């Protein structure tokens, strides 16, 4: 099951999984886009593809995805937690509803879906969970406060679950993505001049490195050489210094 499968990293993961002969359950709000993608993947790769047009921020629609994941007659071997949203602006100025949706999609929905699928995976002794997190999880993120905080939750959850499931044949991998050309930032209303001048990643590269890390049983992966070099530095820098660096970036 791939959430947020209608575009960007989610779509790239769906395409690469289908190319490997993997049957899919595609989840996103845009049912028409999902159906078009599903038809293409069935025709090109001959795989079975189910479509679940769901708004995962809605409690009952999220519960529908949970029921599908827990269905013992149709076991899911891999859950990809990719759905996400964000807004751009000062936290106090942004609508509460949108901030709650961001927190739900990046933190609570992955928790619910993983909790629904993990018991059966552990019982079988096989399966995997791929969490699409962000480098933002390491940093204070002015104008994207809720997004960064919820991704920090997801990263921490994924790291811990990788430890808890290590002896049960289940792999949990968290992906710390950098800037990716997925349309996400435009949808969030983030001005291009506020984004760091670093190399952008293609969704296909993120998907390929993510699946490679999952197959290898690695608990975490940072796609892109530039971001891999930056990641360990960010983890060890004092928080006061990180805040100063981020403040200068936003003032530039």
């Amino acid at each position: 099951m791939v959430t947020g499968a209608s575009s960007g990293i989610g779509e790239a993961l769906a395409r690469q999984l289908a190319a490997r002969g993997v049957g899919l359950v595609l989840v996103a709000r845009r049912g028409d886009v999902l159906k078009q993608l599903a038809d293409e993947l069935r025709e090109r790769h001959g795989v079975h593809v189910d479509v679940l047009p769901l708004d995962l921020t809605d409690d009952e629609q999220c519960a529908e995805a949970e029921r599908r994941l827990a269905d013992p007659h149709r076991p899911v071997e891999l859950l990809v937690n990719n759905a996400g949203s964000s807004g751009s602006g000062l936290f106090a100025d942004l609508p509460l509803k949108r901030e709650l949706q961001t927190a739900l999609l990046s933190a609570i929905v992955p928790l619910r879906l993983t909790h629904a699928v993990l018991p059966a995976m552990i019982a079988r002794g096989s399966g995997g969970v791929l969490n699409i997190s962000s480098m933002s999880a390491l940093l204070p993120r002015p104008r994207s406060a809720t997004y960064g905080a919820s991704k920090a939750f997801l990263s921490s959850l994924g790291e811990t679950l990788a430890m808890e499931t290590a002896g049960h044949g289940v792999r949990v991998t968290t992906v710390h993505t950098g800037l990716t050309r997925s349309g996400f930032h435009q949808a969030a209303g983030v001005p291009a001049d506020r984004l760091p001048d670093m190399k952008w990643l293609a969704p296909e590269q993120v998907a390929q490195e993510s699946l490679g890390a999952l197959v290898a049983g690695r608990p975490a992966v940072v796609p892109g050489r530039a971001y891999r070099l930056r990641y360990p530095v960010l983890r060890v820098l004092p928080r006061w210094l990180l805040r100063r660096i981020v403040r200068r970036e936003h003032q530039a």
Side-chain angles (χ1 to χ4, degrees):
M1 177 182 287
V2 181
T3 69
S6 59
S7 63
I9 296 171
E11 179 185 350
L13 283 163
R15 291 183 179 279
Q16 292 185 23
L17 287 166
R20 300 183 184 197
V22 177
L24 298 167
V25 182
L26 305 180
V27 181
R29 288 180 300 174
R30 296 183 293 173
D32 54 339
V33 177
L34 284 184
K35 184 180 183 303
Q36 183 177 354
L37 176 60
D39 290 342
E40 179 187 343
L41 296 180
R42 292 188 195 105
E43 181 177 355
R44 178 173 296 182
H45 302 294
V47 296
H48 181 86
V49 184
D50 288 334
V51 170
L52 289 180
L54 300 173
D55 179 356
L56 294 174
T57 65
D58 178 84
D59 184 69
E60 180 51 40
Q61 293 186 56
C62 186
E64 184 176 342
E66 290 175 293
R67 288 190 290 270
R68 176 62 182 85
L69 287 166
D71 186 345
H73 304 293
R74 296 180 295 171
V76 172
E77 285 289 336
L78 172 63
L79 168 64
V80 178
N81 287 311
N82 171 72
S85 70
S86 181
S88 175
L90 298 177
F91 177 79
D93 297 336
L94 292 169
L96 176 60
K97 181 178 180 180
R98 182 162 184 174
E99 294 303 279
L100 289 173
Q101 288 177 337
T102 295
L104 280 169
L105 282 175
S106 293
I108 303 305
V109 167
L111 183 153
R112 289 182 60 173
L113 299 186
T114 303
H115 192 269
V117 78
L118 209 54
M121 289 182 175
I122 292 173
R124 289 195 307 269
S126 67
V129 178
L130 190 63
N131 295 316
I132 308 302
S133 186
S134 170
M135 294 284 285
S136 295
L138 300 176
L139 302 167
R141 298 304 305 175
R143 306 188 70 84
S144 297
T146 301
Y147 177 77
S150 56
K151 287 298 187 183
F153 175 95
L154 179 61
S155 293
S156 179
L157 179 68
E159 183 178 13
T160 301
L161 293 183
M163 297 174 67
E164 290 186 354
T165 60
H168 299 280
V170 179
R171 300 173 180 180
V172 179
T173 298
T174 299
V175 185
H176 303 281
T177 62
L179 295 172
T180 305
R181 297 193 183 280
S182 61
F184 176 85
H185 297 91
Q186 293 86 337
V190 180
D193 59 2
R194 287 191 177 274
L195 298 174
D197 185 20
M198 289 187 67
K199 183 179 180 181
W200 285 74
L201 302 172
E204 294 76 14
Q205 178 184 355
V206 175
Q208 183 178 11
E209 294 193 32
S210 300
L211 292 175
L214 180 71
V215 170
R218 293 164 57 191
V221 61
V222 182
R225 184 174 182 273
Y227 291 105
R228 279 194 295 275
L229 292 174
R230 193 183 191 198
Y231 182 79
V233 176
L234 294 177
R235 286 186 67 107
V236 300
L237 282 178
R239 298 303 294 183
W240 66 266
L241 182 55
L242 274 177
R243 289 192 294 271
R244 180 176 295 180
I245 292 171
V246 170
R247 188 178 295 115
R248 287 180 177 176
E249 285 184 352
H250 281 261
Q251 290 173 348

